[in-house]
Amino acid sequence: MNIIEREIVFAGSELILNNQRVLFWKEKALLVLSDLHLGKASHFRKNGIALPTEIATKDLQRLEKLIAYYNAKKILIVGDLIHAGNNKEVSDFKNFTTRFDDVDFILIKGNHDRISEKKLQEIGIPYVYDSLRIEHITFSHQSNPESNIFEITGHTHPGVRLKMPTRGYIKLPCFVVTDKSLILPAFSHFTGLNTSSFSEKAVYYAFSDDGIFKI
Amino acid sequence: MAAKGNAPFSFQEKTWEKYGAGYSGLVVAPTGFGKTFSVFLGVLADFMNYPEQYASGLKLLWITPLRSLAKDLARAMQEVIDEIGLDWSVEVRNGDTDLKAKQRQSKQMPDVLLVTPESLHLLLAQKGRVKFFQSLKCVVVDEWHELLGTKRGVMVELALAFLKNEQNKLRIWGITATIGNLDEAMQVLLTNSKKKTKIVATEKKKIDIQSVFPDEVEILPWSGHLGSKLVEKVVPIILKSKSTLVFTNTRNQSENWYQLLLEAYPDFSGQIALHHSSIDGNIRQWIEEALSEGKLKAVIATSSLDLGVDFKPVDTVIQIGSSKGVARFMQRAGRSGHSPFETSTIYFVPTHSLELIEVAALKEAVKTKTIEDKTPMLLTFDVLVQFLVTLALGGGFKADVLFDVIKNTFAFSEMTEQEWRWCISFITTGGHSLKSYEEFHKVVENEEGLLVVEKRRIAMRHRMNIGVIVSDAMLRVKFISGGYIGMVEEYFISKLKPGDKFILAGRVLELLRIKEMTAYIRLSAGRAITPSWIGGRLPLSSNLSQFLRDKLSQSANNHPTEKELKFLHPLFVKQQETSRIPNVDEFLVEKITTKEGCHIFMYPFEGRLVHEVMASLMAYRISRLYPISFSMAMNDYGFELFSDSDIMLDDKQLAQILDRKNLMQDVFSSINATEMAQRKFRDIAVISGLVIQNLPGTQRSNKSLQSSSGIIFKVLEEHDPQHLLLRQAYAEVFNQQLEEPRLIAAFERISQSKIIYRTATQFTPLSFPIKVDNMRQSLSSEDLAQRIAKLQKQNLRKKPKRK
């Protein structure tokens, strides 16, 4: 796995964005990600859509490497940890969290997270909030542009559509940053991209396997 | 029929005779000659001769590709039945049929049922299917030429194989217009029938082709803008006709022409209408009815009106721009002058002057009846797995029994047992390895050993998605005050913000908001954008390109006889002066150096798709000689390689890059096959049920099951690269996108041609339209016209002469 980083200052704090779809707040040893959509492939399979199980495994392997790389003590998931209710992939997440005894898993509830807090406890997420403020940054799942606070959110699966020099376009996932808000890309690879335009003042940090660049 | 004073055509009599003798067959006749009654009356006659062989219930199943055809056909059939005095009932069953009628049919089938391939599959997905078809004697596939070569055609093959297996004596008849490969068309339809015959009508439809000439010939032609100049000439044609169909090639073009005609002749307001596939079904139906009743002076249409009921008042057809193929051109021409002995008149309006050569080519092709083949599709596993689930729904099947049935179809005759097992595991366990698809649920084996669908939710979703027509995610467009106007691609609307204006169905609409796959709008005025709908850009058929090369080379001699070629004479002179008009045995390459850089133009005349591949191949082969990068552009006639540095090519190197040795290996290296396959996978994913289509107007109740085919493609490439549906995507790339046989034939031809290599410092008449198409890629449309005018001026110091 090739981790390429980009440092930015947001709300007065130094944050690291990387091309593996996470944000790291070094000062707090806090790893922030959004839209993991656990159990999505399994949900598809239960509904007769044949997708291999490796999809989920790959996402978690990547998360494991990132935790080790940053030596993160807190993992903050800004919503949509779970795709659609309980299934085997969701239950198996317990095996993942138990391996990180010294790491706190925190969830900000997203619109997809419709399972009970008891179940969340069972799979190793003791801390569940609707939104959470750390210093002057508020973490919530969906953005509220009118609130006039510093916020970090997920939910939209942002992406950019870039015209290629010859023909056609490519789509890349990205972070969307304005002076007040920061939208995270979806962590799971098994998600689509929303390339409709965000705020006109926004800066996009798009990335691929080999780089992260500002647009 | 005799009572009505019509003497039967000989092909009709022959069909009746053969039908009576128990044959299956294929009837080939032009539109308007009573093809329908050839087979239909055969069935009635057989019933009257041997009533004891017919039980009550469904006797004749009639498959048409188009819903709109069914209603009128059913009416005409019922009239004949009533005249004869039989007590048979004729009914229609398709997406337009109301639920009550469907329920009645399921209880008691009519004697004759008209269906589409999709509604037939839906019947096969019902538990009562055995009962429905137990008295069935004959299946007719109408307009077989429309279905053959498509996945809908494969749907028909599969359904027929299933029905034939249930009813061994079933007679199957196809009805088709003339196509290039009639014998193959019959073979595909009737693989399982032993007694079969082909009946070809000798009657011929007369077609009169008229070109609409601009006032002056444009020596440097470019596509797209000539319409506005020619609209003045189109208005009188419409005025002097009773009713006119104006055919365009894209929805965008039809919207533009609708506006152009209204501006040129405001009195048309309320007398002309717009018809394309993005316009709401109810509005389209209203337009079709108004057209039948003679209430409309003209309808501007896309291929949405290629087929369908005859509009009696229509006496004139206008084709805007290239029709891209002989068959399509003849079909469109045939939309006017319906009675067998009338002449069909079609006017051709070029969108750039070079297209006039195409008219000369078309005339030749029509005269010699050189019509394109419809190549049947093979091993379309996406259609097969869908069909398997359909059968599992309608009472289930035994895998080993069904294998032989499927093997008997033309499409799957080459299927291996291993591939069959893969298909079965795809619907039962999800994929080849049980472990990696755990918790999968779709088709299960019941106690009787039948493969069935148990979950209601899966059954319902499958029924809703039966079919192989895949459209882009579409949003319905609805007035805030109520009423639908049509549909637009989600892709287009996602770029608009509330308050933006766009054009649909000839009206300026303001976007208010988007909710649940519906775009709410209100009427507006002023400047607006026309959506450019994706797709619909057909390449030139290889038949037509052959004639095109011939005509062009004829024009090189100074005394062409055809009006079109005479008109283009100044353009040819210019081409001959600055470069050369290639003879039939020549292949022209132009190297043009301008201020911006170096352009290489080649003219294979093989259609856009083949040129796309050839351009990549040439670029790849040149870049093997020395490092260089290109941008590429192409149209149906040729392609361009552009580089800002000099493209050095001597005669020897040119011959080398045009060599047909290692052709396909180099093609594989030059193109991005993965990306092309990913595009092909879009349809495959939907048809096979991996991606659930968002139906316009419905709420996104399946939201948690949404994903894009692109993501699934990547996932499968990574984790299950031997996936049969992935392999199908690559196969479709090679067969359809790369048109491998056509590509090889083209290089074969080039290798036998004399290569003419010309250099110039200004654009030639042949190169200019390609160059302009390239500019279009990078410029917005407003300054395009100005830029081109400037370029034309730079290139031609003297003004083009009047004719």
Side-chain angles (χ1 to χ4, degrees), chain A residues 16-50:
Chain A
I16 296 168
L17 312 179
N18 77 23
N19 69 335
Q20 299 301 332
R21 304 171 177 239
V22 297
L23 178 154
F24 186 60
W25 192 349
K26 200 172 177 182
E27 193 191 327
K28 311 274 174 211
L30 177 73
L31 191 70
V32 189
L33 58 114
S34 183
D35 300 274
L36 189 54
H37 288 275
L38 268 183
K40 184 171 176 183
S42 186
H43 177 66
F44 275 52
R45 284 195 297 277
K46 274 189 167 176
N47 281 282
I49 298 171

Side-chain angles (χ1 to χ4, degrees), chain A residues 42-43 45 47 53 58 83, chain B residues 436 438-439 461 704 718:
Chain A
S42 186
H43 177 66
R45 284 195 297 277
N47 281 282
T53 45
K58 276 269 158 110
H83 182 70
Chain B
S436 111
E438 59 190 1
E439 286 192 298
R461 200 166 49 236
S704 66
E718 193 180 342

Side-chain angles (χ1 to χ4, degrees), chain B residues 26 28 41 104 222 247 264 310 358 421 456 493 563:
Chain B
L26 185 70
V28 188
L41 291 183
R104 193 189 60 235
W222 60 287
F247 282 109
D310 286 342
E358 233 167 272
R421 278 199 304 271
R456 232 187 118 214
I493 213 107
K563 272 192 283 185

Side-chain angles (χ1 to χ4, degrees), chain B residues 426-496:
Chain B
F426 179 76
I427 61 168
T428 51
T429 63
H432 67 292
S433 101
L434 275 168
K435 170 84 184 65
S436 111
Y437 289 88
E438 59 190 1
E439 286 192 298
F440 179 79
H441 198 103
K442 193 159 198 167
V443 173
V444 292
E445 195 174 315
N446 71 7
E447 292 122 29
E448 298 157 59
L450 291 170
L451 294 175
V452 294
V453 172
E454 274 177 344
K455 273 197 187 166
R456 232 187 118 214
R457 235 170 346 124
I458 289 173
M460 261 174 62
R461 200 166 49 236
H462 183 78
R463 277 201 194 94
M464 278 182 68
N465 286 287
I466 282 181
V468 292
I469 301 172
V470 179
S471 55
D472 279 294
M474 299 281 266
L475 273 79
R476 287 189 84 170
V477 181
K478 189 181 183 182
F479 286 110
I480 193 84
S481 50
Y484 289 99
I485 182 161
M487 288 184 285
V488 284
E489 264 90 353
E490 190 177 18
Y491 156 81
F492 170 74
I493 213 107
S494 70
K495 290 191 299 186
L496 300 182

